[in-house]
Amino acid sequence: MARRQKQSRKPRPAIRMGPIDTMGIAEQLRALHEAGGDPALERFPDPGELYLVLRHAERQASSLPEEARGAAAVLRAKLWQYLREQADAGQLRAVDDGRGVGVPWQSFNEALCVTTRHGAYQKALRLKAEQVRQPHERRSPETAHAYEERRLTEEKAENLRVTAQARRFALAQRIARRLLEHRDGLVVDEMAEYWLDELAETVDDRNSAFHRANFCGFLESFVRSIHQHARDHNQPTTTTDDARKALALATEFAVQERPTIPQ
């Protein structure tokens, strides 16, 4: 008789708790203890002290009637899950802080309940995976590695964007000043007006590469908005020749790297 081939199980989606009102849940727990006749109710901790609230609720659980005890148990489980997730995130931040100042992996062995430096490293990766994984991903070092690779790739792309755009800032600044000088001749809607205001407020206040790159983005967003408004309403984008020339420069800037500005 042929053996039935064992089917591999698909990993179950990870379910993580979203933001919850911990104070509200702690207050519900207190209300259950009050209604259930908790003899130590006057010693019930402040709702903000979640760990103390849970310890009190555990100690006094047997004093509650069955229905209240069951409802309280569900609330306790929810608060413990919240604390577990916070503890994992806090422990990872502590490890990251230590590693950032050169603490060797083996110094975290006891804290992470492992016996080798490699074990500490792997445990930290699992903690990282728990924080960054998608619902379909496992809590594994591979997940953490994949996340880190994605983060570095995105960071590199952002740095390239900022560097490239910052080089264009001086040109964007000159074009923006022309647009603002002939603002009355531009036909704008609320969105284009918003981007013009951003340009006006920041044209003389861009000190870092990041802010200069964003200024170029403001100019490009304005160009898209004013042309979209004109298309939507089948109308011209400008009402004066000077405004038309200024917008032409801005439009060229948005689609080309270095438009030529006439003196």
Side-chain angles (χ1 to χ4, degrees):
M1 188 175 196
R3 289 186 179 180
R4 181 179 296 174
Q5 202 168 23
K6 187 177 180 180
Q7 294 182 345
S8 59
R9 293 184 179 180
K10 294 181 180 180
R12 295 181 180 178
I15 299 176
R16 281 172 287 178
M17 183 176 292
I20 64 171
D21 179 10
T22 56
M23 293 281 284
I25 294 175
E27 288 169 355
Q28 290 177 47
L29 196 53
R30 188 189 187 285
L32 284 170
H33 276 250
E34 182 176 10
D38 181 350
L41 185 66
E42 71 279 2
R43 295 197 298 274
F44 198 98
D46 182 274
E49 300 287 347
L50 291 187
Y51 182 74
L52 297 179
V53 166
L54 285 164
R55 293 308 305 272
H56 177 95
E58 285 178 351
R59 286 194 299 268
Q60 301 301 320
S62 60
S63 67
L64 304 181
E66 187 173 301
E67 185 176 352
R69 184 173 180 177
V74 173
L75 295 180
R76 280 164 45 207
K78 186 177 290 189
L79 289 176
W80 277 121
Q81 177 62 26
Y82 171 81
L83 286 181
R84 176 185 291 113
E85 293 178 2
Q86 298 307 303
D88 282 350
Q91 191 175 41
L92 178 62
R93 286 194 296 271
V95 171
D96 285 344
D97 285 347
R99 291 292 298 159
V101 294
V103 175
W105 280 112
Q106 58 265 29
S107 296
F108 291 105
N109 286 359
E110 182 180 359
L112 296 176
C113 299
V114 296
T115 57
T116 66
R117 62 182 300 277
H118 181 69
Y121 173 67
Q122 292 292 100
K123 179 69 175 288
L125 286 178
R126 288 190 176 88
L127 289 172
K128 170 71 76 175
E130 181 62 33
Q131 303 305 310
V132 302
R133 65 179 172 150
Q134 298 300 313
H136 65 281
E137 293 178 319
R138 298 174 59 189
R139 185 178 187 263
S140 67
E142 291 75 19
T143 297
H145 281 307
Y147 167 81
E148 192 63 18
E149 288 176 4
R150 289 195 302 270
R151 186 189 67 80
L152 291 175
T153 299
E154 291 169 1
E155 186 177 288
K156 182 178 180 180
E158 175 64 7
N159 288 339
L160 289 173
R161 181 195 73 82
V162 168
T163 300
Q165 286 285 64
R167 291 197 193 104
R168 308 173 72 201
F169 170 70
L171 187 55
Q173 192 178 42
R174 292 172 61 190
I175 293 173
R177 285 186 175 133
R178 284 199 175 200
L179 286 171
L180 294 169
E181 182 181 353
H182 303 294
R183 185 170 185 165
D184 290 344
L186 299 169
V187 180
V188 297
D189 62 355
E190 185 177 348
M191 183 55 67
E193 189 79 28
Y194 168 81
W195 289 117
L196 270 180
D197 288 342
E198 287 293 309
L199 291 171
E201 291 174 10
T202 59
V203 67
D204 295 314
D205 183 26
R206 302 281 89 178
N207 298 321
S208 70
F210 177 78
H211 288 139
R212 290 175 177 177
N214 280 356
F215 183 87
C216 294
F218 296 163
L219 180 57
E220 291 167 348
S221 294
F222 165 74
V223 169
R224 287 193 295 270
S225 295
I226 192 171
H227 284 295
Q228 185 64 52
H229 178 62
R231 285 193 297 270
D232 289 346
H233 294 82
N234 193 27
Q235 64 184 25
T237 53
T238 60
T239 58
T240 67
D241 191 52
D242 285 335
R244 181 186 61 77
K245 291 177 181 178
L247 181 59
L249 290 173
T251 303
E252 190 178 356
F253 177 90
V255 297
Q256 297 182 8
E257 185 170 355
R258 285 191 175 278
T260 302
I261 296 184
Q263 297 299 319

